[in-house]
mmCIF file of all heavy atoms in Angstrom:
data_model
loop_
_atom_site.group_PDB
_atom_site.id
_atom_site.type_symbol
_atom_site.label_atom_id
_atom_site.label_comp_id
_atom_site.label_asym_id
_atom_site.label_seq_id
_atom_site.Cartn_x
_atom_site.Cartn_y
_atom_site.Cartn_z
ATOM 1 N N ILE B 90 -14.877 57.102 -5.951
ATOM 2 C CA ILE B 90 -13.480 56.716 -5.750
ATOM 3 C C ILE B 90 -13.006 55.921 -6.958
ATOM 4 O O ILE B 90 -13.791 55.247 -7.624
ATOM 5 C CB ILE B 90 -13.273 55.897 -4.458
ATOM 6 C CG1 ILE B 90 -14.155 54.648 -4.436
ATOM 7 C CG2 ILE B 90 -13.517 56.761 -3.225
ATOM 8 C CD1 ILE B 90 -13.897 53.735 -3.244
ATOM 9 N N LEU B 91 -11.721 56.032 -7.223
ATOM 10 C CA LEU B 91 -11.096 55.351 -8.364
ATOM 11 C C LEU B 91 -9.753 54.800 -7.893
ATOM 12 O O LEU B 91 -8.978 55.521 -7.238
ATOM 13 C CB LEU B 91 -10.895 56.358 -9.504
ATOM 14 C CG LEU B 91 -10.263 55.841 -10.802
ATOM 15 C CD1 LEU B 91 -11.146 54.797 -11.473
ATOM 16 C CD2 LEU B 91 -10.016 57.019 -11.764
ATOM 17 N N ARG B 92 -9.483 53.557 -8.211
ATOM 18 C CA ARG B 92 -8.262 52.887 -7.717
ATOM 19 C C ARG B 92 -7.982 51.643 -8.550
ATOM 20 O O ARG B 92 -8.854 51.179 -9.282
ATOM 21 C CB ARG B 92 -8.491 52.492 -6.257
ATOM 22 C CG ARG B 92 -9.722 51.620 -6.101
ATOM 23 C CD ARG B 92 -10.026 51.330 -4.641
ATOM 24 N NE ARG B 92 -11.205 50.473 -4.526
ATOM 25 C CZ ARG B 92 -11.656 49.958 -3.406
ATOM 26 N NH1 ARG B 92 -11.041 50.220 -2.267
ATOM 27 N NH2 ARG B 92 -12.717 49.179 -3.382
ATOM 28 N N PRO B 93 -6.801 51.082 -8.402
ATOM 29 C CA PRO B 93 -6.558 49.795 -9.070
ATOM 30 C C PRO B 93 -7.429 48.726 -8.418
ATOM 31 O O PRO B 93 -7.553 48.686 -7.193
ATOM 32 C CB PRO B 93 -5.077 49.511 -8.782
ATOM 33 C CG PRO B 93 -4.525 50.730 -8.138
ATOM 34 C CD PRO B 93 -5.651 51.533 -7.606
ATOM 35 N N ASN B 94 -8.014 47.859 -9.213
ATOM 36 C CA ASN B 94 -8.853 46.804 -8.647
ATOM 37 C C ASN B 94 -8.023 45.727 -7.975
ATOM 38 O O ASN B 94 -8.482 45.123 -6.995
ATOM 39 C CB ASN B 94 -9.723 46.176 -9.730
ATOM 40 C CG ASN B 94 -10.826 45.318 -9.155
ATOM 41 O OD1 ASN B 94 -11.564 45.776 -8.291
ATOM 42 N ND2 ASN B 94 -10.925 44.075 -9.590
ATOM 43 N N ARG B 95 -6.837 45.501 -8.489
ATOM 44 C CA ARG B 95 -5.902 44.519 -7.924
ATOM 45 C C ARG B 95 -4.534 45.165 -7.853
ATOM 46 O O ARG B 95 -4.251 46.097 -8.607
ATOM 47 C CB ARG B 95 -5.782 43.277 -8.831
ATOM 48 C CG ARG B 95 -7.036 42.473 -8.990
ATOM 49 C CD ARG B 95 -7.188 41.432 -7.901
ATOM 50 N NE ARG B 95 -8.584 41.232 -7.603
ATOM 51 C CZ ARG B 95 -9.035 40.845 -6.417
ATOM 52 N NH1 ARG B 95 -8.219 40.612 -5.428
ATOM 53 N NH2 ARG B 95 -10.323 40.684 -6.211
ATOM 54 N N PRO B 96 -3.645 44.648 -7.006
ATOM 55 C CA PRO B 96 -2.263 45.144 -6.999
ATOM 56 C C PRO B 96 -1.477 44.523 -8.160
ATOM 57 O O PRO B 96 -2.010 43.724 -8.935
ATOM 58 C CB PRO B 96 -1.735 44.645 -5.649
ATOM 59 C CG PRO B 96 -2.512 43.391 -5.388
ATOM 60 C CD PRO B 96 -3.878 43.614 -5.996
ATOM 61 N N GLY B 97 -0.242 44.907 -8.264
ATOM 62 C CA GLY B 97 0.733 44.216 -9.114
ATOM 63 C C GLY B 97 0.299 43.973 -10.548
ATOM 64 O O GLY B 97 -0.034 44.904 -11.285
ATOM 65 N N LEU B 98 0.295 42.730 -10.928
ATOM 66 C CA LEU B 98 0.073 42.333 -12.321
ATOM 67 C C LEU B 98 -1.394 42.409 -12.730
ATOM 68 O O LEU B 98 -1.754 42.012 -13.832
ATOM 69 C CB LEU B 98 0.627 40.922 -12.546
ATOM 70 C CG LEU B 98 2.137 40.795 -12.254
ATOM 71 C CD1 LEU B 98 2.579 39.338 -12.300
ATOM 72 C CD2 LEU B 98 2.951 41.632 -13.227
ATOM 73 N N GLY B 99 -2.224 42.964 -11.844
ATOM 74 C CA GLY B 99 -3.622 43.215 -12.176
ATOM 75 C C GLY B 99 -3.963 44.693 -12.088
ATOM 76 O O GLY B 99 -5.136 45.062 -12.219
ATOM 77 N N ASP B 100 -2.951 45.539 -11.907
ATOM 78 C CA ASP B 100 -3.260 46.953 -11.619
ATOM 79 C C ASP B 100 -3.535 47.795 -12.862
ATOM 80 O O ASP B 100 -3.632 49.019 -12.759
ATOM 81 C CB ASP B 100 -2.168 47.581 -10.742
ATOM 82 C CG ASP B 100 -0.849 47.761 -11.467
ATOM 83 O OD1 ASP B 100 -0.766 47.428 -12.665
ATOM 84 O OD2 ASP B 100 0.114 48.225 -10.818
ATOM 85 N N HIS B 101 -3.679 47.155 -14.009
ATOM 86 C CA HIS B 101 -4.130 47.867 -15.216
ATOM 87 C C HIS B 101 -5.652 47.885 -15.306
ATOM 88 O O HIS B 101 -6.217 48.488 -16.212
ATOM 89 C CB HIS B 101 -3.537 47.211 -16.472
ATOM 90 C CG HIS B 101 -3.870 45.763 -16.584
ATOM 91 N ND1 HIS B 101 -3.296 44.799 -15.775
ATOM 92 C CD2 HIS B 101 -4.727 45.094 -17.390
ATOM 93 C CE1 HIS B 101 -3.790 43.608 -16.092
ATOM 94 N NE2 HIS B 101 -4.667 43.769 -17.060
ATOM 95 N N VAL B 102 -6.322 47.219 -14.379
ATOM 96 C CA VAL B 102 -7.782 47.252 -14.310
ATOM 97 C C VAL B 102 -8.171 48.146 -13.135
ATOM 98 O O VAL B 102 -7.688 47.953 -12.017
ATOM 99 C CB VAL B 102 -8.372 45.837 -14.122
ATOM 100 C CG1 VAL B 102 -9.892 45.900 -14.000
ATOM 101 C CG2 VAL B 102 -7.958 44.930 -15.279
ATOM 102 N N SER B 103 -9.018 49.122 -13.406
ATOM 103 C CA SER B 103 -9.443 50.051 -12.356
ATOM 104 C C SER B 103 -10.715 49.549 -11.686
ATOM 105 O O SER B 103 -11.403 48.652 -12.188
ATOM 106 C CB SER B 103 -9.691 51.438 -12.945
ATOM 107 O OG SER B 103 -10.708 51.369 -13.932
ATOM 108 N N ASN B 104 -11.001 50.143 -10.549
ATOM 109 C CA ASN B 104 -12.246 49.885 -9.830
ATOM 110 C C ASN B 104 -12.776 51.234 -9.372
ATOM 111 O O ASN B 104 -11.992 52.149 -9.101
ATOM 112 C CB ASN B 104 -11.965 48.978 -8.619
ATOM 113 C CG ASN B 104 -13.135 48.898 -7.655
ATOM 114 O OD1 ASN B 104 -13.101 49.451 -6.554
ATOM 115 N ND2 ASN B 104 -14.180 48.232 -8.068
ATOM 116 N N ALA B 105 -14.081 51.373 -9.316
ATOM 117 C CA ALA B 105 -14.654 52.630 -8.855
ATOM 118 C C ALA B 105 -15.879 52.357 -8.005
ATOM 119 O O ALA B 105 -16.491 51.285 -8.101
ATOM 120 C CB ALA B 105 -15.019 53.516 -10.044
#
Side-chain angles (χ1 to χ4, degrees):
Chain B
I90 57 175
L91 181 64
R92 56 185 181 174
N94 193 51
R95 296 273 148 208
L98 301 172
D100 69 1
H101 57 287
V102 178
S103 60
N104 168 252

